[in-house]
Amino acid sequence: MFTLRRAQEADRAALYRICLETGDSGQDATAIYADPLLLGHIYAGPYLSFAPDFAFVLEDEAGVGGYVLGAPETRTFEDTLEQAWWPPLRAQFPVPPADPAARTPDERLTALIHQPRRTPGTLLANFPAHLHIDLLPRAQGGGRGRQLMDTLLEALRVTGVPGVHLGVGERNVRAQGFYRHLGFEELGRTPGAVTFGRRL
Ligand code: ACO
């Protein structure tokens, strides 16, 4: 039996672990990265720190088994991270090699710490919010992904957010099917990733 609740600071380690254990196109990425916290520094930690009203978790007797993390105003969120989140991480992790082909998996992530992607303004005009959702295998496939999404989308809607976007790995066809089923439309593709959006 899972319960759904707002995420708390005490969940931080669990969010980082789930981020890693679903970080290879939905599969466990533990064997890929030498530093187990890197994925979480980018895709989980900042949301708990700077958008806690839009962070929800599923919990059962074994602990936290999934989350959805959102940011209502992506540009404001990016600016906040530039001021307050990335600087200490930049001091901690060296600048990776300039040639992307020469980077290790960890260095591909530290490149995102030193040069975070800025979301195109054309996308933000209609879909200013964005989100990440990850459930461990024991929580998947029972309607709980939809439950988490409904909870976050309603929280965004009552805040007055007109639309939400997300990026998903090209290889993660399961999650792509899930988003399409929930009414998201494909907005574009870059090498390796698909962008989806949904009006609220
Ligand atoms: N194709 C079509 N429909 C689907 C698919 C699919 N691949 N997957 C689920 N659905 C449908 C279900 O049948 C269900 O339909 P219904 O409500 O009409 O009966 C509905 O979508 C909801 O399914 P859930 O059971 O809630 O899905 P689940 O709990 O497995 O959550 C998720 C989906 C979030 C992808 C989960 O499996 C997961 O966390 N996977 C691993 C991590 C991952 O890949 N995360 C996405 C990363 S990308 C990002 O965060 C932006």
Side-chain angles (χ1 to χ4, degrees):
M1 268 290 286
F2 279 93
T3 54
L4 194 164
R5 62 167 172 79
R6 185 77 53 78
Q8 303 161 1
E9 182 54 39
D11 300 321
R12 187 173 293 269
L15 300 191
Y16 273 60
R17 185 175 45 79
I18 293 167
C19 190
L20 178 65
E21 292 183 7
T22 57
D24 179 19
S25 297
Q27 306 297 308
D28 191 352
T30 303
I32 296 177
Y33 298 103
D35 185 329
L37 299 181
L38 264 173
L39 274 174
H41 284 326
I42 297 167
Y43 296 110
Y47 298 85
L48 186 60
S49 293
F50 299 110
D53 290 346
F54 302 94
F56 300 92
V57 296
L58 293 165
E59 188 174 40
D60 66 0
E61 56 285 350
V64 175
Y67 61 69
V68 67
L69 305 169
E73 273 288 337
T74 296
R75 184 66 80 226
T76 308
F77 187 74
E78 288 172 346
D79 290 343
T80 301
L81 266 49
E82 197 52 45
Q83 290 292 316
W85 183 257
W86 302 126
L89 291 170
R90 286 174 185 152
Q92 184 182 343
F93 295 101
V95 176
D99 176 7
R103 291 175 185 158
T104 65
D106 283 46
E107 287 168 341
R108 287 202 281 276
L109 295 180
T110 56
L112 295 174
I113 289 173
H114 286 277
Q115 275 199 306
R117 294 198 187 102
R118 237 171 129 70
T119 309
T122 46
L123 176 59
L124 297 181
N126 289 327
F127 307 97
H130 76 277
L131 67 85
H132 300 284
I133 180 169
D134 291 309
L135 280 62
L136 291 177
R138 75 173 191 276
Q140 295 171 7
R144 286 173 288 260
R146 181 193 273 280
Q147 202 189 348
L148 277 175
M149 289 289 278
D150 286 349
T151 302
L152 174 63
L153 297 186
E154 182 58 19
L156 292 170
R157 196 179 293 120
V158 300
T159 309
V161 173
V164 60
H165 73 273
L166 58 87
V168 56
E170 209 165 31
R171 288 189 296 127
N172 195 348
V173 290
R174 177 182 180 176
Q176 290 171 32
F178 169 75
Y179 295 130
R180 285 198 176 89
H181 189 75
L182 265 58
F184 282 76
E185 56 167 321
E186 185 176 327
L187 300 176
R189 280 177 187 255
T190 54
V194 188
T195 302
F196 286 91
R198 194 182 131 171
R199 302 272 194 164
L200 297 176

